Amino acid sequence: MQKIPTNSLSPAKAELPLDLTGPHITAGASAAHRLYQALCEMIVSGLVKPGEPLPPSRTLAKQTGFRRNAVVTAYERLIADGFADATVGSGTFVAARIPERAAAPKRPKAVVEAPRQGALSLGCTHIDERAVQRFRAFVGRRMRAFGAEHLHYGDPRGSRELRVAIADHLLSARGLRCDADQIMLTSGTLHTLRIVLGTILKANDQVWCEDPGYPIARRTIAQCGYRTVPIPVDANGLQIAKGRTAAPAARAAYVTPSHQFPLGVQMSMPRRLELLDWAKQAGAFVFEDDYDSEFRYVGAPLMSLAGIDHLQRVIYMGTFAKTLFPGLRIGYCALPERLIADVTAARAALDRFPGTLMEGAVADMLNSGAFAANLKRVRKLYREARDALAETLEAKSDGALSVPVPSQGLHLVARFDPSVAPLVAADAKQAAGAEGWLLADTYARARPLPGFVLGFSGHAVPQLVASAERLAREARTALRAKAKSPRRV
């Protein structure tokens, strides 16, 4: 066998990333064989690169605890099998080309598709540049004043400073009076659902969900082990009487009363009171997802359901994902007093407490007026985008689409006549390459209406108009194609 140089003049890794216990190691084999297997695994997996120097045998022996002759034997096998090259006076190196027969099979990679951000997609936001500058300044100031509160585990509900600021905001903006102790910070609405549902429900308990409704929330509730019961929605919101019939033993309801997703209707006051009466009689709780109430374009914001209920049976949920930006990952909920202790304990058991670094900066945004100023500016942009999108769809579809202009929110619904098959909308969306959702995808059990759920927030108006023109054109084409197709007998 080739003589192994023991001294390398080239810089090598101080320590190799060796795995001497993994599944690639033969149990009970000699030290030299196990080291050889670990070195092969390291090379074929790319942890060291072709041509990279390996450490001298003495160094590797010290790292692994093996005798030096075991290291020399392992190096000799690497060279013989083509995994390494050696030159006397220079050292031992990973071969420039690894033997093809020895290459490890490629492991399949999980394909995770990132959310689309094109025009008409939902969930996109805009933050005014002046607000960005203020936020950067607040973050910088907080980092310069870095304190001991970041070095310890904190309150499972989050910092009191931000909870106080949120409580003040809810009182002024939503008519919801609550104490900061009733506020809990989360990473968003779905996180809130997981924590609170796990506290108040048992496995297989029933939860009323709007139909059509927000499918992601419905899916989250189901994945938590609870049975979602789709309850139809009409022009006045959730139909409580049908809920009582379909699932009289339900223990919770998930609703979007101020701006129903996706249809945009507002739950009427008689229906709200009826829902609260049901919750009281059934000993159930209502989750109010107030996901876009800050973006109201006509009149004052409606009082929240939790404000009417005085936080007796309603869990109010909000987030900064749309009012600031999603990357914050800061949401919040306002809890009935009777739930504070149990929900706080559940939060502590789940993930201890929320992150602390951004909390102070968000509190500064709320307390300084920068948050309100940003809302005022972006609300104007979103109103213009809404109007441009609605006008384009109406004008370019030649009556194929009906587009009610929403008075609130960040999306609108464009609908075909109810007699049209939902497949027509699917064909048009695919042909146009449009983002957004099919309205049919938000239904669980009720007969789906044909149409689209389209976002207008966070998109430049020219891109919105161009996408809307394509979608309207393909909607006309799909409708004509459907009309010409022979009917099945």
Side-chain angles (χ1 to χ4, degrees):
M1 284 193 177
Q2 184 175 349
K3 183 177 179 181
I4 302 299
T6 57
N7 295 309
S8 173
L9 300 178
S10 302
K13 290 183 181 291
E15 285 198 356
L16 291 178
L18 291 172
D19 180 1
L20 292 164
T21 60
H24 53 280
I25 301 298
T26 303
S30 66
H33 185 66
R34 285 183 282 128
L35 181 57
Y36 166 78
Q37 290 176 317
L39 288 164
C40 285
E41 177 69 16
M42 175 191 69
I43 291 170
V44 300
S45 63
L47 294 176
V48 290
K49 305 302 181 185
E52 191 171 322
L54 296 172
S57 56
R58 286 189 180 88
T59 302
L60 189 56
K62 185 176 181 181
Q63 174 190 338
T64 60
F66 294 150
R67 294 181 180 274
R68 188 182 171 209
N69 61 354
V71 177
V72 171
T73 300
Y75 273 8
E76 288 173 343
R77 284 198 60 186
L78 285 179
I79 295 167
D81 289 346
F83 288 103
D85 297 315
T87 304
V88 176
S90 296
T92 306
F93 301 82
V94 177
R97 186 175 180 184
I98 299 170
E100 198 170 315
R101 62 181 173 80
K106 291 184 178 179
R107 297 177 182 175
K109 294 183 179 179
V111 178
V112 179
E113 186 176 352
R116 296 183 181 275
Q117 304 296 323
L120 304 181
S121 59
L122 280 70
C124 297
T125 60
H126 172 82
I127 182 169
D128 184 79
E129 182 58 34
R130 284 164 286 188
V132 172
Q133 293 173 1
R134 295 293 301 277
F135 186 73
R136 285 174 177 159
F138 290 141
V139 171
R141 190 184 74 180
R142 292 285 177 160
M143 289 301 295
R144 288 190 295 273
F146 189 93
E149 68 273 15
H150 303 302
L151 304 177
H152 306 286
Y153 293 102
D155 189 322
R157 295 168 298 178
S159 76
R160 182 168 183 80
E161 181 183 14
L162 180 52
R163 290 188 285 116
V164 168
I166 290 172
D168 291 342
H169 168 69
L170 292 179
L171 178 60
S172 61
R174 306 298 291 122
L176 174 55
R177 185 180 301 276
C178 64
D179 189 84
D181 287 341
Q182 293 175 269
I183 303 292
M184 182 177 70
L185 304 182
T186 67
S187 65
T189 299
L190 303 182
H191 189 207
T192 299
L193 279 172
R194 287 184 174 274
I195 295 170
V196 183
L197 283 170
T199 304
I200 65 176
L201 299 189
K202 298 178 182 178
N204 292 318
D205 274 351
Q206 294 176 313
V207 180
W208 291 0
C209 293
E210 297 165 325
D211 189 16
Y214 186 39
I216 298 175
R218 192 162 57 221
R219 191 157 54 242
T220 295
I221 294 168
Q223 287 180 345
C224 288
Y226 310 113
R227 288 184 291 162
T228 59
V229 182
I231 307 301
V233 173
D234 62 16
N236 292 310
L238 189 78
Q239 298 185 49
I240 314 305
K242 292 192 175 182
R244 288 179 181 271
T245 301
R251 305 297 298 163
Y254 167 82
V255 294
T256 52
S258 294
H259 186 231
Q260 199 276 332
F261 187 93
L263 299 181
V265 301
Q266 297 167 3
M267 186 179 289
S268 66
M269 185 58 69
R271 200 67 65 80
R272 291 175 182 234
L273 296 176
E274 188 181 356
L275 177 61
L276 295 177
D277 285 343
W278 164 79
K280 183 177 180 180
Q281 294 165 9
F285 288 94
V286 177
F287 287 82
E288 178 181 15
D289 188 351
D290 206 28
Y291 65 99
D292 63 5
S293 62
E294 291 89 353
F295 299 99
R296 186 165 177 81
Y297 308 109
V298 179
L302 301 174
M303 177 177 282
S304 66
L305 188 65
I308 300 170
D309 175 62
H310 303 295
L311 281 178
Q312 296 299 307
R313 286 283 165 184
V314 177
I315 294 103
Y316 178 93
M317 302 187 295
T319 175
F320 292 105
K322 296 175 179 64
T323 53
L324 289 175
F325 51 93
L328 274 176
R329 301 306 301 140
I330 296 180
Y332 53 89
C333 63
L335 300 165
E337 287 187 10
R338 73 186 77 185
L339 296 182
I340 294 174
D342 289 343
V343 171
T344 300
R347 173 60 186 275
L350 181 65
D351 63 351
R352 297 294 290 268
F353 71 110
T356 59
L357 284 176
M358 292 294 105
E359 291 178 346
V362 176
D364 290 339
M365 289 289 288
L366 287 165
N367 294 330
S368 68
F371 178 82
N374 177 67
L375 280 182
K376 183 178 180 180
R377 289 190 287 264
V378 298
R379 193 183 290 121
K380 181 176 182 294
L381 293 177
Y382 292 168
R383 184 190 298 113
E384 294 171 354
R386 176 203 64 178
D387 293 344
L389 177 57
E391 290 168 7
T392 302
L393 290 169
E394 287 273 17
K396 298 298 183 179
S397 67
D398 291 339
L401 293 174
S402 171
V403 190
V405 179
S407 61
Q408 178 176 315
L410 307 176
H411 75 273
L412 57 74
V413 172
R415 285 177 280 193
F416 289 96
D417 185 272
S419 63
V420 174
L423 185 60
V424 172
D427 290 343
K429 183 176 183 296
Q430 182 176 11
E435 304 293 349
W437 294 4
L438 290 172
L439 181 56
D441 290 342
T442 67
Y443 284 81
R445 185 177 297 166
R447 180 180 181 273
L449 292 173
F452 314 97
V453 184
L454 307 173
F456 53 79
S457 64
H459 304 299
V461 170
Q463 281 71 40
L464 274 177
V465 170
S467 295
E469 288 177 343
R470 288 194 300 271
L471 183 60
R473 182 175 64 249
E474 296 300 338
R476 297 196 315 267
T477 301
L479 199 57
R480 286 196 299 267
K482 180 65 177 177
K484 292 179 181 179
S485 63
R487 295 184 178 181
R488 295 180 181 178
V489 180

